[in-house]
Structure formats: C-alpha cells, structure tokens
C-alpha cells in the first residue's frame, strides 16, 4: 500500500486530499502546524488505522519513520487575509518548508507533489492563463509574500528534479471552494456564505467587476489523483474555466443561501488581480480531466454544509 506524507493536511485542500488517499487504500501521515488548518477538518476519518496526524512546523527538517512513497507539500497560509497577517511565515513555508519536503522525499526515495497556485501569474496580462505564461507579479507588494514564495517553491522543486532526479508533480491551483473552507477565512466564497447565512450584507471589494473562476473541491482532488498517475511533471493548471465577476458571485451566493442580502462595496485590496481563468488544455489532454460540478450545484452543496455549522 502506498504511503504518503501530506504537509498542510489539516487545511481545506489538505484534508480533502488526505481523505481521498485514504479512500484509495493509502496510508497517510499528515503534518500541520495548525496555524491556519484545524483538527476539526480531520474528524470522522473512517480509515483511522491508516492515518496519523502530527502537529509539526514543516519549516524545520522533517523526520518521518518508515517508508514514504509520496510527499505532498500543501502547507501554506492560502487566503489573502491569512498571508497578509502571516507574511514571514508564508515566505518561510514556501522556501524552508519546500526544502524540508524535498529533503524528506530525497531521503526516502519518494516523489514530491507541490501545490502551487494561479497566483504565480500575478495580475495577469494574458487571459486565460496557460502554464507557459510567466506571470505579472509585483515582487515587493503585499501579496508578494505568497506569490513569490510559491514561485520560489516551484523553482526549488524543479531544481531538485534536475539536480537529484527526484520525480515531481507541480499543480497550479486556481480558486477552489467547498465544504471545510474556514469560516471567516477572508476569501470571497466563505465570506459571502457566512454573511448571507446571517442576513448581513455581502462585502464586495471595488465595484466587483474583477473576475475569478471557481472550481469545486471534489473536481480539483480528482485532478490531483489523475495527475499522480500521469507521466508529466507539470506545472499543470487545475481549475474551472467558468469565469464570473465577483459581484455576480456575491449575488448568486446570497440568492442560493436564501438571504435578500444587500451588497456592501468596500475598498479593493492592493494588487488584487483583475481577472483569473485557467487554460486547462494541458489537463484535458494529459489527464482527460475537466471539472464536472456546476457552479450553482457546488455552491448549494457548500452552503448546505456551512448552514448548520456557521449559522
Ligand atoms: N473579495 C470580495 N469580498 C470579500 C472577499 C474577497 O469582493 O469579502 C474579492 C477579492 O478582493 C478578490 C476576489 O474577491 O477580488 C477573490 O478573492 P479571494 O480572497 O477569494 O481569492 P483570491 O483570488 O484573491 O486569492
């Protein structure tokens, strides 16, 4: 049975990945500092016998006993308010945390899976964004702590692949939503859901004409799974190319949550990308993958999950 180490396994995506790997019969060691992840994301895992959780800061060298086949490096604050509040931690986990994950993989003869981000494209001048686009990132702006950390993590991962021959897979994840997002995480979807469930105004930054393309978490994890058994290293975009404006999304969430919520317009954060939409030609061709969950359906599922927990 394959054995995986998942850094950031108590986070939103990490907890979905751990569950999927366990469901596929794998053994999983989850490492998380819990700075933004939560043990509640790991409750009611049926395969407890094959699952271990350790509260660990992955910026320090990692020691894991026994064989390891895959190291999945997902650990990082990922929502803009989190990485703006934790700038040094975010840079450290993208840099030192990536060395820890790669050195563990090297020591164990394992492969490395890096979760990178559409943020490597910054405020993109090419639309939609293919993997071949090098991006438009402000290296000293407030968001640079995340964008540059992930760019550095990609560079480090590819360097280990070239120098040490470590098998690698790098995914660039576009905006993803679903159950187990953190309440008040600060991202658009959890904010809108939380506000709508409480009958509060939905807070839209700027005039809401900026766009995002939202992928339901189960689709994303299916993409991860297919990528694992494919031949390439990536980087591979994974996301849903269905693009909406933030104002449309805010109104849709309010509508689906059954609130007549008003819209409150707030100031736009600095360097907030104007548009974002993945070109998924590579994933379609190499993985035969495309998202299947429609936006309304995915939002309904997420609201149904959040309603009893956040109300
Ligand atoms: N946003 C918003 N209201 C909120 C939270 C976010 O209008 O309460 C905007 C944010 O400024 C950005 C977009 O929604 O333009 C997506 O933000 P999010 O934090 O979800 O993710 P990002 O794509 O910026 O990483």
């Amino acid at each position: 049975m394959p054995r995986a180490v998942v850094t950031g396994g108590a986070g939103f995506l990490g907890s979905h990945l751990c569950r999927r790997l366990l469901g596929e019969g794998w053994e999983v060691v989850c490492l998380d500092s819990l700075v933004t992840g939560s043990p509640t994301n790991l409750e009611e895992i049926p395969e407890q016998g094959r699952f271990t959780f350790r509260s660990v800061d992955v910026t320090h060298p990692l020691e894991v006993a026994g064989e390891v086949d895959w190291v999945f490096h997902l650990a990082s604050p990922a929502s803009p308010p989190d990485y703006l509040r934790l700038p040094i931690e975010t840079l450290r986990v993208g840099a030192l945390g990536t060395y820890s994950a790669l050195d563990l993989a090297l020591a164990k003869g394992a492969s490395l899976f890096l979760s990178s981000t559409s943020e490597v494209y910054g405020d993109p001048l090419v639309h939609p964004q293919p993997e071949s686009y090098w991006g438009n990132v402000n290296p000293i702006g407030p968001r640079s702590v995340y964008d540059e950390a992930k760019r550095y993590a990609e560079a480090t991962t590819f360097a280990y692949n070239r120098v040490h021959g470590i098998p690698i897979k790098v995914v660039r994840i576009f905006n993803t939503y679903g159950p187990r997002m953190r309440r008040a995480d600060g991202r658009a979807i959890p904010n809108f859901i939380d506000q709508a469930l409480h009958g509060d105004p939905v807070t839209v930054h700027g005039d809401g004409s900026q766009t995002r393309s939202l992928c339901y978490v189960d689709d994303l994890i299916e993409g991860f799974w297919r990528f694992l058994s494919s031949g390439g290293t990536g980087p591979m975009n994974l996301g849903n190319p269905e693009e909406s404006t933030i104002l449309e999304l805010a109104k849709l969430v309010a509508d689906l949550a059954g609130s007549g919520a008003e819209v409150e317009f707030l100031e736009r954060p600095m360097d907030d990308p104007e548009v974002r939409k993945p070109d998924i030609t590579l994933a379609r061709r190499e993985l035969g993958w495309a998202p299947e969950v429609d936006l309304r359906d995915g939002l309904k599922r997420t609201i149904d999950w959040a309603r009893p927990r956040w109300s």
Side-chain angles (χ1 to χ4, degrees), residues 264-284:
E264 182 183 350
F265 292 94
L266 300 179
E267 200 182 335
R268 187 92 180 273
M270 186 178 165
D271 293 337
D272 187 39
E274 224 26 77
V275 289
R276 200 184 277 151
K277 169 178 169 163
D279 178 331
I280 58 164
T281 308
L282 184 67
R284 281 185 201 275

Side-chain angles (χ1 to χ4, degrees), residues 85-101:
R85 160 175 85 80
L86 301 165
I88 310 284
E89 290 84 344
T90 304
L91 285 159
R92 286 175 63 88
V93 78
L96 303 178
T98 303
Y99 284 113
S100 302

Side-chain angles (χ1 to χ4, degrees), residues 78 80-81 83 119 143 175 186-189 191-192 195 203-205 210 212 246 268-269 272-273 276:
Y83 57 71
E119 284 280 322
R143 293 177 86 97
N175 294 69
R187 280 183 275 199
I189 296 301
N191 272 9
F192 297 155
Q195 291 157 348
T203 53
V204 168
H205 299 164
Q210 69 273 33
R212 293 295 186 271
I246 290 298
R268 187 92 180 273
D272 187 39
R276 200 184 277 151

